[in-house]
Amino acid sequence: MSDVMVDVHGVHKSFGPLEVLRGVDLRVRAGEVTVILGPSGSGKSTLLRTINHLEKVNRGWISIDGELIGYRRSEDRRAARRASVEGGGGRRAGKLHELKEKEVLKQRTHIGFVFQNFNLFPHLTVLENLVEAPVSALRRPRKDAEDTARRLLERVGLADKTDAYPRQLSGGQQQRVAIARALALEPKVLLFDEPTSALDPELVGEVLDVIKDLASTGTTMIVVTHEIGFAREVADTVVFMDGGVVVEQGSPAAVLDAPRHERTRAFLSKVL
Amino acid sequence: MGLSTDSAAAPPGTAAPGTDPGTPPAKNDLASLKVVPARHYARWVAAVAVIVLVAQFAHGLITNPVWEWQVFSDYVLSETIVKAVGVTLQLTAYATVLGFLLGTVLAFMRLSHSPVLQTVSWTYIWIFRSIPMIVQLVFWFNLSALYDRLGVGIPFGPVFWSVDSNSLIGTMGAALIGLSLHQAAYAAEIVRGGVIAVDHGQLEAAAALGIPKLRQIRRIVLPQAMRAILPTAGNEIIGLLKGTSVVYVMAIGELFYQVQVIYGRNGRVIPLLMVATAWYVVLTSLLSIAQYYVERRYARGANRTPPPTPVQRARRFVRDLRAAAAQRNQPVHPLKSLGADR
């Protein structure tokens, strides 16, 4: 249990009458790369967005490094006493308090998120994009944040672009900046929401290379993608989702080469 | 360019069938021909007609004695008028700042999740957009009739400190309150329009990075909203500058009031109205120029290369003219020179 970094437990999520997640369980161990595959509408992006609380869950819970996301548990003394008198155990004692936005924002600094459309701040330079969150959310000294930012830009191969504006970069370069921006907070886990889907085919490789490099240094990552080759090469665990549930999961070899489930086979035959 | 039309247009013999179809025939022959630009006769006629009308108007401006340009030049820089322009500028500046501050607060109230704040903001905008400015100004002018003392205390309870409302507010204060409150209603909608024009992904990215809420608004949302806010805000501020002329009803010594006082005394209505006109035109021109540069600043990152300012363009034009003059002696290939112009 101790090395479980991300714990998703029985998560349900509906948008109005549409039930997008129907009881998802997922466990990601520290230092592992989990790749989530599935047809569009299977709920994989929504699942990713519930992990950093961009979407609130309707049922179930999520914890990262043992910390509950979006809620705080408190012991309700009266309920605990009643439970102990009745001998019903302490499980139902206590309450879940919804966290205030300020506390949620603080939790999110531990969770890096990379968007399909990059979402860089277009009015800020590349360096300012990287420095903004560490300075304002973590209260790092600007000088330190800039040093870290330069080091990260070097790591993603964009050391010469510090003063460029995002629109002056190619899509691949923008996504690499976005990855560096997420890393600037030194998160415990990195979430990628289809990081290469908005890119021209010839730019996909440079972004995947950066993610592979991160994987080799033991960063905990959950990647939603359609790149099966990437999943085979990098993933420790491949998760196949369809219809708001996890259909099957296992090693890349098990899920991609010998899928046990008919729906997985049907999906893979279409994309491979 | 279609290949078929090429070969059809080519005179027989210049391109033998079976030669490379990729190169247009007779290319070298065309290149040596002189290019005659298209003549736009109707455009010339229209231009002459417009020039005649403009010349007639200008002639009238200069020769019609009723304009009394001597009186105009006596007053346009006189102390009274310059002071009055100062008052106009003060009213504009204060009302702009107060109006947009309150407007921004109202805009975010309207965008908040609290139904109470939303309703209050909506009601404020509804009421203050519904009352003509001049009616509102006279209301504020007569505030003391409604509340003769204003004070601080417990709501619906005892009052600890109070003051005579006339001595607290005064005429200038009443005018400023009227202008600012009126302006705030419009500013609120302008700011709200700018904020909802910002891509939703920007807010998600800021939230995902854990940037504190106020900082998100100040550093991420508002600078991007400014791109949509500025053109309409420029309109509003220029409208406000001219709108300050309405406070003449409160006998405040701004530009239009002073002009009226002077022509009431000496009867020279037309030249003094021209004095006011000239000042309003100069001031709004300055505001328009300022707007251009402020917009440019907030466009950082929106274009790969920012377009040149008029000053930069003028400099470039002069440089090009010089370069062209230096090159005039050298013969230039007509088609090549056409291509180089574009």
Side-chain angles (χ1 to χ4, degrees):
Chain A
M1 186 70 190
S2 64
D3 69 336
V4 172
M5 182 56 91
V6 181
D7 197 357
V8 177
H9 192 88
V11 162
H12 287 251
K13 173 71 188 173
S14 303
F15 295 107
L18 183 71
E19 203 175 11
V20 183
L21 297 179
R22 297 194 267 190
V24 175
D25 290 279
L26 186 69
R27 230 158 244 147
V28 177
R29 283 210 293 239
E32 282 197 346
V33 179
T34 300
V35 170
I36 304 179
L37 301 174
S40 20
S42 59
K44 50 194 192 317
S45 283
T46 307
L47 174 65
L48 210 60
R49 292 163 60 84
T50 57
I51 294 177
N52 76 341
H53 212 58
L54 278 178
E55 305 287 356
K56 223 184 264 182
V57 300
N58 299 122
R59 199 134 53 87
W61 49 261
I62 295 166
S63 73
I64 289 185
D65 203 11
E67 191 184 352
L68 212 52
I69 294 298
Y71 297 90
R72 178 166 38 82
R73 192 176 164 175
S74 76
E75 296 298 325
D76 182 339
R77 292 215 190 93
R78 251 184 312 171
R81 204 177 308 131
R82 202 183 321 126
S84 68
V85 166
E86 291 165 6
R91 273 196 76 77
R92 272 165 51 211
K95 285 178 180 167
L96 280 186
H97 298 265
E98 208 176 299
L99 291 185
K100 283 185 219 141
E101 190 169 2
K102 198 175 170 183
E103 298 162 304
V104 172
L105 285 169
K106 194 149 192 290
Q107 284 191 331
R108 290 212 188 102
T109 60
H110 302 306
I111 312 164
F113 200 98
V114 176
F115 294 87
Q116 183 177 348
N117 299 315
F118 332 136
N119 288 340
L120 292 177
F121 305 129
H123 60 300
L124 303 180
T125 64
V126 166
L127 191 72
E128 288 167 337
N129 262 283
L130 264 68
V131 167
E132 178 56 34
V135 167
S136 66
L138 299 183
R139 310 215 157 274
R140 296 254 168 83
R142 180 165 289 271
K143 179 81 183 53
D144 295 2
E146 282 183 6
D147 291 344
T148 312
R150 281 180 218 282
R151 214 184 58 237
L152 286 168
L153 284 172
E154 201 165 318
R155 187 165 168 194
V156 300
L158 293 169
D160 55 332
K161 299 290 185 190
T162 46
D163 296 323
Y165 285 99
R167 295 244 164 88
Q168 295 166 330
L169 305 178
S170 74
Q173 290 171 333
Q174 288 190 47
Q175 193 60 298
R176 279 144 70 196
V177 172
I179 294 171
R181 180 174 72 173
L183 286 172
L185 290 167
E186 292 163 22
K188 292 176 180 169
V189 53
L190 261 181
L191 310 176
F192 292 86
D193 188 9
E194 304 198 22
T196 59
S197 294
L199 297 177
D200 288 341
E202 81 241 60
L203 301 178
V204 169
E206 62 185 67
V207 172
L208 291 185
D209 285 345
V210 168
I211 303 176
K212 279 180 211 164
D213 173 57
L214 290 174
S216 68
T217 58
T219 314
T220 312
M221 296 194 279
I222 303 177
V223 186
V224 169
T225 186
H226 293 294
E227 301 285 335
I228 305 289
F230 170 81
R232 193 189 301 278
E233 193 182 336
V234 181
D236 296 298
T237 308
V238 173
V239 175
F240 177 73
M241 280 182 75
D242 193 18
V245 292
V246 172
V247 175
E248 68 176 288
Q249 56 179 309
S251 69
V255 176
L256 297 175
D257 299 329
R260 277 169 296 141
H261 211 284
E262 182 50 42
R263 273 190 285 176
T264 319
R265 269 198 287 277
F267 174 76
L268 289 172
S269 71
K270 275 184 213 149
V271 295
L272 278 177
Chain B
M1 194 179 282
L3 286 176
S4 57
T5 52
D6 264 357
S7 49
T14 48
T19 54
D20 179 13
T23 48
K27 187 182 178 187
N28 296 330
D29 292 352
L30 276 182
S32 63
L33 296 180
K34 185 173 161 59
V35 176
V36 182
R39 306 264 197 267
H40 303 282
Y41 297 109
R43 218 183 274 173
W44 294 351
V45 171
V48 168
V50 169
I51 286 171
V52 167
L53 282 175
V54 170
Q56 227 179 348
F57 180 71
H59 179 255
L61 270 185
I62 297 161
T63 57
N64 189 338
V66 182
W67 290 110
E68 294 184 278
W69 290 109
Q70 187 52 48
V71 179
F72 172 87
S73 61
D74 286 348
Y75 278 104
V76 73
L77 291 175
S78 68
E79 203 192 326
T80 329
I81 294 294
V82 171
K83 256 191 198 157
V85 168
V87 174
T88 293
L89 281 177
Q90 255 180 27
L91 283 169
T92 310
Y94 289 143
T96 301
V97 172
L98 292 175
F100 272 87
L101 278 181
L102 180 56
T104 308
V105 172
L106 284 166
F108 281 101
M109 281 169 70
R110 183 88 194 272
L111 291 166
S112 79
H113 294 296
S114 155
V116 175
L117 297 186
Q118 277 175 27
T119 311
V120 168
S121 171
W122 184 88
T123 311
Y124 178 96
I125 294 165
W126 167 60
I127 288 177
F128 279 85
R129 281 202 309 201
S130 308
I131 310 172
M133 183 132 88
I134 193 160
V135 175
Q136 214 207 111
L137 282 172
V138 178
F139 246 115
W140 285 107
F141 192 55
N142 293 300
L143 182 72
S144 58
L146 206 53
Y147 304 102
D148 60 344
R149 295 190 75 75
L150 295 175
V152 182
I154 296 168
F156 305 106
V159 176
F160 304 130
W161 174 87
S162 77
V163 66
D164 176 37
S165 50
N166 264 341
S167 64
L168 177 70
I169 292 176
T171 326
M172 188 75 178
L176 264 180
I177 291 175
L179 287 172
S180 306
L181 294 186
H182 182 82
Q183 198 53 42
Y186 287 90
E189 289 295 90
I190 292 171
V191 172
R192 189 171 69 92
V195 170
I196 56 183
V198 175
D199 178 22
H200 187 65
Q202 291 291 311
L203 280 176
E204 283 201 334
L209 286 165
I211 298 171
K213 193 73 192 172
L214 270 178
R215 177 90 180 171
Q216 285 182 26
I217 291 172
R218 215 161 43 82
R219 177 80 167 155
I220 308 297
V221 176
L222 279 181
Q224 294 187 64
M226 284 305 262
R227 299 246 308 138
I229 291 174
L230 280 171
T232 7
N235 262 355
E236 271 307 305
I237 295 169
I238 284 172
L240 179 64
L241 175 82
K242 295 181 294 178
T244 55
S245 58
V246 175
V247 308
Y248 85 92
V249 295
M250 303 162 87
I252 289 173
E254 49 73 51
L255 183 56
F256 184 52
Y257 178 80
Q258 290 297 12
V259 160
Q260 281 181 307
V261 167
I262 296 170
Y263 72 58
R265 218 163 45 214
N266 64 12
R268 302 279 167 69
V269 177
I270 298 294
L272 278 155
L273 283 180
M274 272 314 273
V275 166
T277 306
W279 272 111
Y280 283 124
V281 169
V282 167
L283 295 179
T284 50
S285 309
L286 292 177
L287 280 177
S288 302
I289 293 170
Q291 182 189 345
Y292 175 84
Y293 282 96
V294 175
E295 274 185 29
R296 217 180 126 76
R297 184 184 148 72
Y298 279 102
R300 276 175 317 165
N303 308 100
R304 291 194 154 200
T305 46
T309 65
V311 177
Q312 287 170 343
R313 233 179 295 165
R315 271 200 207 126
R316 199 169 295 175
F317 181 69
V318 171
R319 205 177 54 216
D320 288 352
L321 276 188
R322 284 209 189 120
Q327 271 201 338
R328 196 154 300 154
N329 297 330
Q330 300 166 1
V332 180
H333 205 282
L335 283 184
K336 235 190 219 165
S337 75
L338 271 180
D341 274 0
R342 298 292 133 216

